[in-house]
Amino acid sequence: MSSGRTNSETKRITQQVGFGLLGFIATLTVLPIIVVVGYMIQKGAPAISWEFISGFPADGMRAGGILPAILGTLYLTLGTAVFSVPLGIGAAIYLAEYAPENGWTRAIRVAITNLAGIPSVVYGLFGLGIFVLFLKLGTSILAASLTLSIMTLPVIISTSEEALRAVPNSFRVVSTSLGATRWQTVRRIILPQSLPGIITGVILGLERAAGETAPILFTGAAFFLPNLPGSPLDATMALPYHLFVISTQVPGMPVQIQYGTALVLLSFVLVMNIIASVIRSRARARRLW
Amino acid sequence: MDIILITGFSLSYADGTEGLKNITLGIPANQITVMLGPAGGGKSTLMRAINRLNDLADVISMTGSIIVDGLDVNDPKTNLVELRRKVGMVFARPVPLPLSIRQNITYGLEVAGITDKNRLEAVVEQTLKDAVLWDEVKDRLDSPGVALSGGQQQRLCLARTLALDPRVILLDEPTSGLDPISTAKIEDSLQLLKKRYTIVLAPHSVQQASRTADFAAFFLQGELIETARGKDLFTMPKDKRTQDYVEGRFG
Ligand SMILES: Nc1ncnc2c1ncn2[C@@H]1O[C@H](COP(=O)(O)OP(=O)(O)OP(=O)(O)O)[C@@H](O)[C@H]1O
Ligand SMILES: [Mg+2]
């Protein structure tokens, strides 16, 4: 009897130690994030002002604001969305709902997985070759958006496909038995049910596009422009590239502006992330299965 | 008069299972045909063959023919949407679509292009009454279908099948997850519905089969062993295997 109690006592303590250890490790992994964000806020916050957000760079970018870079990143993100969202969701619907399970489909999936692993600078070179030079789009918002789209597609396709597949198959069977065509089933039942997952995937993909420097380096990003871009065929400034430029290419750069720019970029990405989590948790609460 | 004619029909799944072997069977109109037999007999497979829901499963070969109300089910020219409107189906586990009670019922009509509000309203009320569910849900037609109890969900699934006004209703163990009262409600509505529809039922027990059958067919491992009118299959089975099954000696 008493040995049994000791035994369960020992088990309990072991378990507590185990949980404590796991909790500690979990804390360790989020610690760098907290430190990075905290450090950025501490260093960058003093630079943030209305002028900084809404003004043009002045004095060889050593003063003034970063409006062209903020707007540029916004344009590039929207441009990327225009191409990658319909294409990515369309491909995911095809793969999840229509494609027969055969070698060809498997090959497509392997290709998508591998595309996701290609270094972003390779996408940049590809974009330079295809969009800037071959299609003669020049270094432009259009060429950069297309390049970013190709980089973003694998993320959007695989997360959307996963979201579509998570919808129970019984809904497809029932909908079909009620005389719905495959497309009616997808549009009326499967898509609405998987939309939160798809939106999360889209935002994660676009977030990556918003933060990348390499793919836009040769395809659409400009060192400095006195005017805002007037059309999709103009080059643009962008936050990640601007940050790279003012951190490495401009002598006598006030550190404050560097951290301020980094903080703005970080907030941009963070806000997208928060929107994604809100959508996800809202949808989970409302889900009917 | 037989509304469904199954002739020399065989079906194999991709994993090599022979789901059905050379089935020949006529299903009489406006009666309750009961398909019974132990697990793996092929009852569900045959039902899904009648409305081509097997298209969603891994079927590799089908031979023979199935004619439903003059429509050759396996003819490549057959309009499957039309076929599935003619042949409704209720499954063992009730699966309300992730929509409201009302939308669950109007779904089949809406995908068929019917949008007339008054007509849809009338169908909602009529089919819920036919499925003995109206009184329980008439005040909450806009709440989600899954919010209902299991027994109510199954009656909702029956109502939604009725909404398409099919010629045939396939019910695959529709009461297997239900309590005796819900089961009785479903069985009662079947007795009323057979005046207007042809009913094919895979019962969840031999008792239910003998309670409901106007015509009965016994399946064993993909083969049709015997058929009989009325309760004859239960009172005087001809085949030894049928007798063993209805007397509860295996299954
Ligand atoms: N999707 C499928 N893929 C492969 N084999 C299947 C599939 N569905 C059924 N089978 C096989 O076909 C045979 C007939 O199965 P079926 O489900 O039609 O029997 P049943 O009479 O409905 O049985 P139960 O009483 O358990 O519902 C079984 O051997 C089963 O394993
Ligand atoms: Mg079955």
Side-chain angles (χ1 to χ4, degrees):
Chain A
M1 217 49 206
S2 79
S3 91
R5 190 179 301 143
T6 325
N7 205 344
S8 75
E9 187 91 326
T10 323
K11 262 192 196 151
R12 203 172 55 80
I13 292 172
T14 317
Q15 197 174 356
Q16 270 178 353
V17 170
F19 282 154
L21 211 63
L22 287 177
F24 178 68
I25 294 169
T27 318
L28 273 190
T29 57
V30 295
L31 208 61
I33 301 170
I34 296 172
V35 170
V36 168
V37 174
Y39 188 71
M40 287 296 163
I41 292 176
Q42 193 212 340
K43 291 275 212 171
I48 306 291
S49 65
W50 179 241
E51 286 70 37
F52 186 67
I53 308 265
S54 67
F56 280 71
D59 190 18
M61 297 191 271
R62 288 181 198 86
I66 54 168
L67 179 69
I70 295 178
L71 281 182
T73 289
L74 207 62
Y75 292 153
L76 289 173
T77 311
L78 290 178
T80 306
V82 166
F83 297 112
S84 63
V85 171
L87 221 66
I89 296 179
I93 290 176
Y94 173 74
L95 286 174
E97 305 292 333
Y98 290 89
E101 246 346 289
N102 57 22
W104 179 239
T105 310
R106 270 191 295 280
I108 294 180
R109 273 208 196 88
V110 170
I112 290 170
T113 316
N114 282 316
L115 277 177
I118 292 181
S120 56
V121 66
V122 176
Y123 283 106
L125 277 173
F126 174 80
L128 174 67
I130 297 292
F131 301 124
V132 178
L133 300 176
F134 183 71
L135 293 178
K136 300 197 171 61
L137 297 175
T139 43
S140 60
I141 294 179
L142 186 59
S145 298
L146 285 166
T147 310
L148 288 170
S149 295
I150 292 185
M151 186 192 77
T152 317
L153 268 176
V155 181
I156 296 185
I157 294 175
S158 39
T159 46
S160 301
E161 192 189 345
E162 212 171 296
L164 290 164
R165 282 185 189 280
V167 179
N169 200 42
S170 52
F171 290 161
R172 295 180 181 86
V173 174
V174 164
S175 175
T176 308
S177 80
L178 290 170
T181 60
R182 203 166 268 240
W183 173 241
Q184 284 173 325
T185 303
V186 168
R187 200 176 61 76
R188 288 170 181 259
I189 306 290
I190 311 297
L191 264 184
Q193 292 301 306
S194 53
L195 204 55
I198 293 177
I199 291 176
T200 307
V202 164
I203 292 181
L204 289 177
L206 292 181
E207 187 181 280
R208 177 160 175 225
E212 280 286 354
T213 310
I216 60 174
L217 193 57
F218 324 118
T219 56
F223 188 84
F224 173 76
L225 290 171
N227 298 311
L228 293 175
S231 92
L233 289 173
D234 290 342
T236 182
M237 294 177 70
L239 282 171
Y241 183 56
H242 185 66
L243 184 58
F244 168 74
V245 166
I246 60 177
S247 309
T248 59
Q249 312 289 306
V250 183
M253 190 71 209
V255 177
Q256 220 188 30
I257 291 192
Q258 291 170 2
Y259 281 105
T261 307
L263 184 59
V264 171
L265 178 58
L266 196 66
S267 314
F268 195 89
V269 172
L270 232 51
V271 165
M272 286 172 80
N273 232 321
I274 290 168
I275 294 174
S277 348
V278 169
I279 291 174
R280 213 173 10 216
S281 58
R282 281 244 184 119
R284 207 168 283 151
R286 259 189 296 119
R287 184 145 72 188
L288 299 178
W289 36 277
Chain B
M1 217 278 291
D2 288 343
I3 187 172
I4 302 178
L5 286 169
I6 301 163
T7 318
F9 187 76
S10 304
L11 181 153
S12 300
Y13 287 104
D15 62 4
T17 314
E18 283 184 81
L20 294 168
K21 300 169 200 163
N22 196 22
I23 305 293
T24 296
L25 174 68
I27 292 177
N30 295 91
Q31 301 204 354
I32 299 181
T33 294
V34 157
M35 293 183 182
L36 72 163
K43 303 163 304 238
S44 302
T45 303
L46 184 55
M47 287 195 177
R48 291 194 305 260
I50 294 172
N51 67 357
R52 286 279 299 272
L53 264 195
N54 272 333
D55 289 13
L56 303 182
D58 282 337
V59 172
I60 46 165
S61 81
M62 288 191 286
T63 56
S65 85
I66 300 180
I67 312 281
V68 178
D69 198 22
L71 208 60
D72 183 348
V73 168
N74 293 312
D75 186 332
K77 288 195 291 291
T78 294
N79 180 341
L80 293 181
V81 168
E82 187 194 335
L83 170 68
R84 287 169 188 145
R85 277 181 205 138
K86 247 185 223 264
V87 184
M89 185 157 186
V90 176
F91 303 88
R93 199 168 60 86
V95 178
L97 291 170
L99 305 167
S100 71
I101 294 173
R102 187 198 308 277
Q103 290 166 328
N104 260 282
I105 293 179
T106 56
Y107 184 81
L109 293 169
E110 281 173 26
V111 296
I114 294 161
T115 51
D116 175 25
K117 281 267 184 323
N118 294 328
R119 177 164 169 204
L120 294 177
E121 276 311 296
V123 168
V124 169
E125 180 166 347
Q126 186 54 49
T127 56
L128 283 172
K129 282 179 174 162
D130 289 343
V132 211
L133 186 59
W134 175 251
D135 290 331
E136 291 158 70
V137 301
K138 61 173 185 285
D139 300 322
R140 47 172 174 150
L141 293 174
D142 291 310
S143 57
V146 281
L148 298 172
S149 76
Q152 291 172 329
Q153 286 184 17
Q154 194 58 301
R155 279 175 279 149
L156 176 64
C157 293
L158 178 59
R160 137 183 110 184
T161 304
L162 298 178
L164 285 170
D165 200 22
R167 301 296 313 275
V168 179
I169 302 174
L170 309 170
L171 300 112
D172 192 354
E173 303 186 34
T175 58
S176 60
L178 305 187
D179 61 275
I181 294 174
S182 302
T183 302
K185 281 186 180 168
I186 298 244
E187 287 181 18
D188 287 348
S189 49
L190 294 186
Q191 292 302 333
L192 295 174
L193 291 171
K194 74 178 185 189
K195 299 193 179 71
R196 277 184 283 148
Y197 307 97
T198 300
I199 301 208
V200 180
L201 172 72
H204 82 255
S205 66
V206 175
Q207 290 73 17
Q208 183 174 52
S210 64
R211 275 199 302 272
T212 48
D214 297 319
F215 180 62
F218 177 66
F219 288 82
L220 185 64
Q221 292 174 352
E223 286 179 71
L224 176 60
I225 305 298
E226 75 171 281
T227 62
R229 306 238 149 238
K231 317 288 182 207
D232 290 0
L233 195 91
F234 308 94
T235 52
M236 39 179 167
K238 291 191 282 286
D239 194 288
K240 177 82 173 57
R241 292 165 293 180
T242 314
Q243 184 174 12
D244 285 348
Y245 182 72
V246 298
E247 288 174 5
R249 275 197 287 276
F250 77 93

